[in-house]
Amino acid sequence: DQVAEICSTTCSELDGLLEHLSQLDEQRLEVVRKTTALHEQCEQMVQDQEHLSKSAESLAERLDFYDRVADVARMLDQGQAAASDADFGSVLDQLDGSIMFLESHPDFCQAQAYLHQFEHLRNRACLAAQTAVQRSLEKSMAQVEQQLREKAGAGAPDDTRVFYTRFKAAALNHRPLMALLHRRMELHESYGSTLEKLEEFYVDVRLRLIRAPVTGHLQSVLKGDLQGAELEAATRQASSYILDLSKFERECFEAYFELRQPQEALRLLLDTVASIFYKALRPIVIACDSIDSLREMADCLQMDVLGPHQQSATGELVPVMAKVYQLHKDVQERLIFCVENYIREEIKGFQVTDAALDYPASLYDAEPGRDGEAEPASSSASLQKGWFPTMRKTLVILDKIYRVLELTTFQGLAQEAVDLCIASLKAAALQLERRAPPQVDAPGGQALAVLARDVDAQLFLVRHLFALRERVQAFECDLVVSEKYFNFSNVWEALHLKLPDGLLGILKPTMRQSQVDSKRDIEAELQAACEALIALLAAHMTQPLAALNGQIGPFISRDGVDWAQLKAQPFMSAANLRTIVGAFRSNVSERVPFAAAHVRLYLAAGGGA
């Protein structure tokens, strides 16, 4: 019983222990559950804390864009923004960043109001930079003007460098600011507008500074009555001065501003500088009537300015070269006008005098053989004595304008001058032919005097046409001029009731084209003159035979004539034939040497043979 009781008590205690263990396990499980829940809540709180921190930081960053208004406004009020390039760049970074943020978030609170404030501040910043640079430019201009007054008072010569030293020194402080505005031109138009205003103000300052001194210097170079070589030297000096000045102006502009395309301010600056040069020389060109002076001036502009600086026409000095080219065209136009007047007055309007027609006496002063050396037409030594004045004037004027005018223009003037020269030579030859021969008492002398007169007229023309052909061929161009014109002959036909194509045919003129080849005309005139000379000499030498032929012709031309009776005619007698043959041989022996001497005289003394 005691054992059973012990066992029962033990079992009861074991059951109690098992119950306590079961309760303890339940409590453990409850602790584990609560601990797990606590860990989960802590993790969630940590995540919430991190999210809230990020939100606070994001909110602070966004609020910073709003807070920048006061900071930037304070800097602008204190004048610190334009004091240094770093501060100004920082201010612009803040402004541009805030504006971009507000433009990308227009739904934020008061975004539009703050956006307007930032744009206003940006305009203030640009205006502050613009004002600082403008004051610096005005200060530099005042310093340069003071130096110029001091030099003028001391009588010192003008020094071009004084215009640029102060400006280039000041440019070192402002170039970074200009580069900053140049880089930000694509961000907003206000930067481009500020930069353009600064460039315009710079150009205005520079032009106010240099306009009067440059004009005065050019007037001092071009003063007086300049002619020929003096005008050429003055033009060369003025051109060199304005080219150097333009290069210095461009370098000074580049010291301040970045180059871009297009850049209207730089173009305006160089164009105005070149206009000062153009306005100084153009009155001289308009007032000049000397062909030599105009030719020298045109040649100087072409060879010394336009030619060497041809590469600049596509680069840095385009506006300057444009003005120089315009002046060169003005000189050419004035030269063309003077040449046309010269051709009209000195060649077409030439009044023939007895001294001009003193042939062959004027040939004895010419140097024999000198003209036959085939000298180039551009050589002044090729203009020989014994030439008719109109031909000398023609070749002189063509030699002066050759390679100075454009080829087409030269061809037109040369064609006109050569045609008028040929016409004057033919008119002079006709006057030589019409003059009365001298009276000669020697037997047969009067016939030789008539022959001399006729031969002189023809050889005069041949001689000059030979020389003209050689000189004209030396010009490396074709003297061919094409002319187009309307033919209104159908109107005349309509007046005779010949209506082509109905009534509308009257209103339809036809286009015609003609060509004038002066070189071909010279060849044709020369051939005709040579043939006339040959015919003249043949007629004089064969005059007895021609007289006999004049008697034979009418006899054999009669109807029913018997040819056998020709020998019985008095003019066919042996004595008469011997007389005619003798007269012919006498003519040949007398007149051939006479004609040969004339030919040698005319063609050897500068005639081009």
Side-chain angles (χ1 to χ4, degrees), residues 326-343:
Q326 183 179 355
L327 179 64
H328 183 251
K329 298 299 290 185
D330 291 344
V331 175
Q332 287 185 327
E333 290 178 1
R334 182 64 182 177
L335 178 60
I336 293 171
F337 173 77
C338 293
V339 170
E340 289 177 343
N341 286 341
Y342 183 88
I343 293 174

Side-chain angles (χ1 to χ4, degrees), residues 279-299:
K279 292 177 181 178
L281 266 74
R282 191 170 187 273
I284 297 177
V285 174
I286 295 176
C288 183
D289 294 325
S290 172
I291 294 177
D292 291 330
S293 299
L294 292 172
R295 179 182 64 87
E296 295 291 342
M297 192 174 184
D299 188 65

Side-chain angles (χ1 to χ4, degrees), residues 414-431:
Q415 185 267 334
E416 180 184 2
V418 169
D419 287 351
L420 291 175
C421 178
I422 294 175
S424 67
L425 293 175
K426 293 171 66 176
L430 185 60
Q431 292 187 35

Side-chain angles (χ1 to χ4, degrees), residues 20-35:
H20 284 300
L21 289 173
S22 176
Q23 291 177 357
L24 183 61
D25 186 61
E26 290 178 358
Q27 290 177 358
R28 184 187 63 79
L29 292 174
E30 181 66 20
V31 170
V32 170
R33 184 185 63 78
K34 289 182 177 181
T35 303

Side-chain angles (χ1 to χ4, degrees), residues 157-221:
D158 295 337
D159 186 3
T160 307
R161 291 175 298 180
V162 73
F163 293 118
Y164 306 100
T165 304
R166 295 285 185 181
F167 280 85
K168 288 186 176 181
L172 298 176
N173 299 325
H174 301 296
R175 177 59 185 266
L177 177 60
M178 299 299 103
L180 182 63
L181 292 175
H182 182 267
R183 290 194 299 269
R184 292 177 178 269
M185 287 181 63
E186 297 181 355
L187 294 179
H188 195 264
E189 61 182 8
S190 60
Y191 298 123
S193 175
T194 302
L195 188 59
E196 290 177 356
K197 290 179 181 178
L198 285 174
E199 291 177 349
E200 292 173 0
F201 186 82
Y202 171 86
V203 170
D204 180 67
V205 168
R206 292 300 306 171
L207 292 178
R208 279 188 289 153
L209 178 63
I210 68 173
R211 191 188 302 272
V214 171
T215 302
H217 179 79
L218 290 176
Q219 289 177 351
S220 65
V221 172

